[in-house]
Amino acid sequence: MYNLVIYMYLLGVAIYSCFNEKVRKMWRGEREAFKILREKVDPNAKYVWFHAASLGEFEQGRPLMEQLRKEHPEYKILLTFFSPSGYEVRKNYEGADIITYLPLDTITNARRFLRTVRPVMAFFIKYEFWYNYLHILKHRGVPVYSVSSIFRPEQVFFKWYGRQYGRVLNCFTHFFVQNEVSKELLAKIGITDTTVVGDTRFDRVLQIKEAAKQLPIVEAFVKDAPLVFVAGSSWPPDEEIFIKYFNEHKNWKLIIAPHVIGEDHLKQIEKLLEGRKVVRYTEATETNVLDADVLIINCFGLLSSIYHYGNVAYVGGGFGVGIHNLLEAAVWDVPVFFGPNNQKFQEAQGLKVSGGFEINNYEEFAAQMDRFAADAACLQEQGQKAGQFVKGQSGATQKVLSAVAL
């Protein structure tokens, strides 16, 4: 049944690629993967294979790859992606020796891929459970580790109708899970090779903090500002809430880094700002931002450094499919706001008692912001709690590498 579904999916991708650029990139990349492997694989090298579905999973795997390369230079690293949003952004990442798409999980592809690479071990980040690849790896005796994985009762593995597919979990040598709930769920279906190590993303955001960029334009913008609010990865429902507040409280300076930076969205944000002086980052100078009220970041790659300049942060997505990266903000010792769709995000649950604030509407947001504006000690205390939460959850990378057989 699984293989039938895969072939049906393959047909669907082939058809949809005619109409969608993102799918076309994935379709083309998967077909080109074997060519890349033939050209680049060194038959005499020992490869450690890391697989990440997309960019978020790559960031979770990145600390492991970099620490492995540092401690064990005798290995080469193969990095594969499923999604274009990961591959297209990180295809030139210098921390891996070979980077490619993962060919779709047919029996033929899996055999061909593993025959070409012959990895000595494999790391699957978080949610990747490719049936054919994993069964062949197990048959060949290759150690396979699931890293930063997290499980919930509603997942197919724990339903009566998912028992057959759930056998794929037996192909893993060990699970390095994020929490005790995941360990307990796996134990209920007979899987006990598990260790709770937390999430490697905490290690990654601490790395990012250490490598943060100095941004002269942003520094000029916030100079002498009494209070600065940074909104990252925001969507329209988020913007309607916090912009309303700042239109009424003009003692704050506002930095907005929207998730979508298309012209239509930027104009929509500017329209909401009711006469405030707004400057876009790509049009900003160290002079014209001095008397600006709002700085809109209309480019990518700066947000993790920009949080450093805020007194309070807001991370978007919580009124839609789910919140974006809370940890990039919290690591800077600032309290963090986010929307209500956060139940599947363990870091959000931790931050709710450590400097994070879930808001459901404008009134809740405004009430907490008023408290911060009136009580500098409270603002500082909540920020420090957020930062300590991140630091306290770090260390998963070293726990994983200390446990695997290298």
Side-chain angles (χ1 to χ4, degrees):
M1 177 62 72
Y2 174 85
N3 287 314
L4 177 61
V5 171
I6 286 292
Y7 280 110
M8 290 175 63
Y9 175 81
L10 185 63
L11 177 61
V13 169
I15 295 171
Y16 195 39
S17 67
C18 298
F19 309 99
N20 183 283
E21 177 63 23
K22 181 177 179 180
V23 176
R24 185 157 54 250
K25 287 180 179 179
M26 181 176 72
W27 173 245
R28 187 185 304 121
E30 287 181 0
R31 288 183 295 167
E32 292 176 350
F34 288 113
K35 178 183 177 182
I36 293 173
L37 293 175
R38 284 196 306 270
E39 293 174 350
K40 295 189 175 183
V41 167
D42 178 354
N44 299 312
K46 295 186 294 183
Y47 284 93
V48 177
W49 174 24
F50 286 83
H51 177 65
S54 191
L55 189 59
E57 289 79 9
F58 164 79
E59 291 296 331
Q60 287 178 295
R62 183 170 178 169
L64 281 169
M65 285 184 274
E66 294 180 354
Q67 195 66 25
L68 176 68
R69 182 178 286 278
K70 180 180 178 181
E71 295 182 4
H72 296 277
E74 67 271 23
Y75 293 110
K76 288 195 173 184
I77 293 175
L78 166 67
L79 170 63
T80 60
F81 288 98
F82 178 75
S83 168
S85 60
Y87 178 80
E88 296 299 329
V89 175
R90 295 302 183 192
K91 59 186 176 183
N92 297 316
Y93 170 60
E94 295 180 354
D97 297 283
I98 303 174
I99 304 172
T100 183
Y101 282 94
L102 180 67
L104 198 62
D105 187 30
T106 66
I107 294 175
T108 300
N109 281 348
R111 285 175 176 166
R112 185 181 176 191
F113 179 92
L114 294 170
R115 191 182 303 123
T116 303
V117 178
R118 299 186 181 277
V120 297
M121 71 183 68
F123 293 87
F124 281 56
I125 310 302
K126 197 173 183 179
Y127 284 141
E128 292 295 271
F129 306 106
W130 295 112
Y131 193 91
N132 291 314
Y133 281 104
L134 288 166
H135 275 85
I136 295 171
L137 284 165
K138 182 178 181 181
H139 177 74
R140 293 188 173 195
V142 178
V144 184
Y145 304 100
S146 178
V147 177
S148 291
S149 43
I150 188 166
F151 294 92
R152 302 180 185 87
E154 63 269 22
Q155 288 174 304
V156 65
F157 311 112
F158 312 110
K159 304 294 185 181
W160 64 266
Y161 53 80
R163 289 174 185 170
Q164 183 174 0
Y165 175 67
R167 293 173 185 167
V168 71
L169 300 181
N170 292 306
C171 295
F172 286 92
T173 306
H174 201 87
F175 287 87
F176 296 98
V177 297
Q178 292 190 31
N179 57 25
E180 289 289 344
V181 171
S182 297
K183 183 176 181 178
E184 292 167 5
L185 285 168
L186 290 172
K188 287 180 180 178
I189 58 173
I191 295 174
T192 56
D193 289 321
T194 59
T195 304
V196 179
V197 299
D199 189 344
T200 51
R201 283 186 305 163
F202 289 90
D203 300 326
R204 176 60 188 148
V205 294
L206 288 166
Q207 289 180 340
I208 291 172
K209 181 181 179 181
E210 290 297 316
K213 305 171 185 175
Q214 294 297 309
L215 303 171
I217 287 174
V218 180
E219 290 175 358
F221 173 73
V222 303
K223 185 180 180 181
D224 300 326
L227 293 166
V228 178
F229 184 91
V230 178
S233 302
S234 62
W235 293 82
D238 306 302
E239 291 148 7
E240 290 171 3
I241 289 177
F242 66 74
I243 288 177
K244 179 180 177 181
Y245 183 85
F246 294 107
N247 283 338
E248 298 173 357
H249 300 78
K250 299 186 178 181
N251 57 321
W252 289 77
K253 283 204 169 186
L254 174 59
I255 302 174
I256 307 174
H259 185 73
V260 177
I261 59 172
E263 186 63 24
D264 288 345
H265 188 198
L266 297 177
K267 287 182 177 178
Q268 182 181 4
I269 293 171
E270 290 168 345
K271 186 177 180 181
L272 289 172
L273 285 163
E274 296 181 357
R276 306 296 297 274
K277 182 176 179 182
V278 180
V279 177
R280 297 186 185 186
Y281 187 86
T282 56
E283 301 168 359
T285 67
E286 293 181 44
T287 301
N288 70 3
V289 296
L290 291 175
D291 61 345
D293 303 307
V294 183
L295 180 62
I296 297 179
I297 311 301
N298 59 330
C299 54
F300 294 115
L302 302 180
L303 180 56
S304 59
S305 297
I306 286 173
Y307 283 124
H308 168 53
Y309 298 99
N311 300 104
V312 181
Y314 184 109
V315 176
F319 287 92
V321 295
I323 48 175
H324 296 288
N325 195 335
L326 294 172
L327 303 180
E328 283 187 344
V331 73
W332 289 105
D333 298 329
V334 295
V336 186
F337 286 95
F338 47 88
N341 189 3
N342 59 66
Q343 289 73 27
K344 293 183 178 180
F345 298 84
Q346 182 170 293
E347 66 275 20
Q349 309 316 306
L351 280 169
K352 285 180 185 179
V353 294
S354 302
F357 298 85
E358 175 189 302
I359 53 111
N360 294 277
N361 50 51
Y362 173 77
E363 288 72 24
E364 291 180 3
F365 176 74
Q368 185 59 50
M369 286 296 293
D370 286 346
R371 281 193 286 271
F372 284 153
D375 189 343
C378 174
L379 174 58
Q380 183 179 23
E381 178 186 1
Q382 294 302 321
Q384 289 175 345
K385 283 184 178 180
Q388 286 300 320
F389 171 74
V390 177
K391 296 179 184 71
Q393 298 294 317
S394 64
T397 298
Q398 197 56 52
K399 291 176 184 176
V400 171
L401 289 179
S402 297
V404 302
L406 290 165

